[in-house]
């Protein structure tokens, strides 16, 4: 039996194809990155996504987990049964619930320049936002509403600091 003859045509490099993007796309499909550590540790690569999530007590498709019941008369006669997976990894669900129940502290802060700006405006003009807008320190030409928003942001992010500042102004 004769050997299969190879094509004599040489392969040419495709300059229109972005090889970096192709590699990223391939790697993304190959093994998706799971951000949550509890789910990542309990994940089994040999099982499908729906099966993995089902074993953890999570759902792949929320429309199947909580179906919307129709208001027809016939629908009342026969009940639809949703596929119930057996939860073999309940610790994942417990860890996720525990993590979600923890209170997260608001870590948003303002720059020192903005704090100084707001303190100057309040020190000089109290609550007169129109005068603040005309102030020479208003380098960015903020409107009265923008200045009011910045002051409220300062009050929200640094409440105790703002209260101490206002008490020091009242003492003067």
């Amino acid at each position: 039996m004769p050997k299969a003859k190879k094509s004599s045509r040489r392969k040419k490099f495709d300059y229109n194809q972005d090889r970096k993007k192709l590699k990223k796309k391939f790697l993304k499909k190959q093994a998706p990155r799971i951000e949550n550590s509890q789910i990542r540790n309990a994940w089994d690569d040999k099982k499908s996504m729906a099966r993995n999530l089902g074993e953890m007590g999570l759902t792949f498709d929320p429309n199947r987990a909580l179906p919307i019941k129709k208001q027809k008369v016939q629908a009342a006669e026969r009940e639809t049964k949703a596929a119930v997976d057996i939860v073999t990894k309940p610790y994942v669900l417990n860890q996720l619930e525990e993590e979600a129940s923890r209170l997260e502290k608001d870590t948003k802060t303002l720059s020192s320049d903005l704090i100084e700006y707001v303190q100057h405006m309040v020190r000089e003009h109290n609550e007169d936002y129109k005068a603040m807008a005309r102030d020479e320190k208003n380098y960015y030409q903020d409107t009265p509403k923008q200045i009011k928003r910045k002051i409220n942001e300062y009050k929200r992010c640094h409440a105790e600091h703002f209260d101490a500042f206002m008490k020091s102004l009242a003492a003067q």
Side-chain angles (χ1 to χ4, degrees), residues 77-132:
E77 294 172 10
R78 58 181 170 87
E79 253 182 62
T80 57
K81 294 181 182 177
V84 179
D85 289 330
I86 299 169
V87 179
T88 57
K89 301 175 185 176
Y91 59 91
V92 175
L93 196 58
N94 295 337
Q95 288 173 343
L96 288 172
E97 286 175 350
E98 180 187 320
E99 187 180 326
S101 67
R102 281 191 226 130
L103 293 174
E104 191 172 317
K105 189 178 176 187
D106 188 18
T107 57
K108 188 168 189 245
T109 184
L110 300 175
S111 69
S112 57
D113 292 338
L114 187 61
I115 291 172
E116 193 177 308
Y117 170 75
V118 167
Q119 286 179 350
H120 167 77
M121 291 299 186
V122 172
R123 192 180 305 114
E124 297 296 319
H125 306 288
N126 292 330
E127 295 288 315
D128 189 6
Y129 299 110
K130 287 183 180 178
M132 290 180 195

Side-chain angles (χ1 to χ4, degrees), residues 1-35:
M1 191 168 209
K3 253 185 173 178
K5 189 177 176 186
K6 271 190 170 180
S7 169
S8 61
R9 233 174 79 170
R10 241 177 81 196
K11 284 191 176 180
K12 292 181 181 177
F13 187 77
D14 188 3
Y15 288 96
N16 295 326
Q17 196 66 263
D18 189 350
R19 307 298 295 173
K20 190 175 181 182
K21 275 187 188 174
L22 281 176
K23 185 178 180 186
K24 271 188 179 179
K25 189 176 180 183
F26 175 75
L27 290 175
K28 195 174 189 180
K29 277 188 179 179
Q30 199 64 23
R33 172 81 177 134
I34 301 169
E35 294 294 325

Side-chain angles (χ1 to χ4, degrees), residues 47-61:
K47 294 179 183 171
S48 70
M49 185 184 291
R51 183 92 180 244
N52 266 314
L53 292 173
E55 287 181 353
M56 292 178 214
L58 303 171
T59 182
F60 176 69
D61 187 7

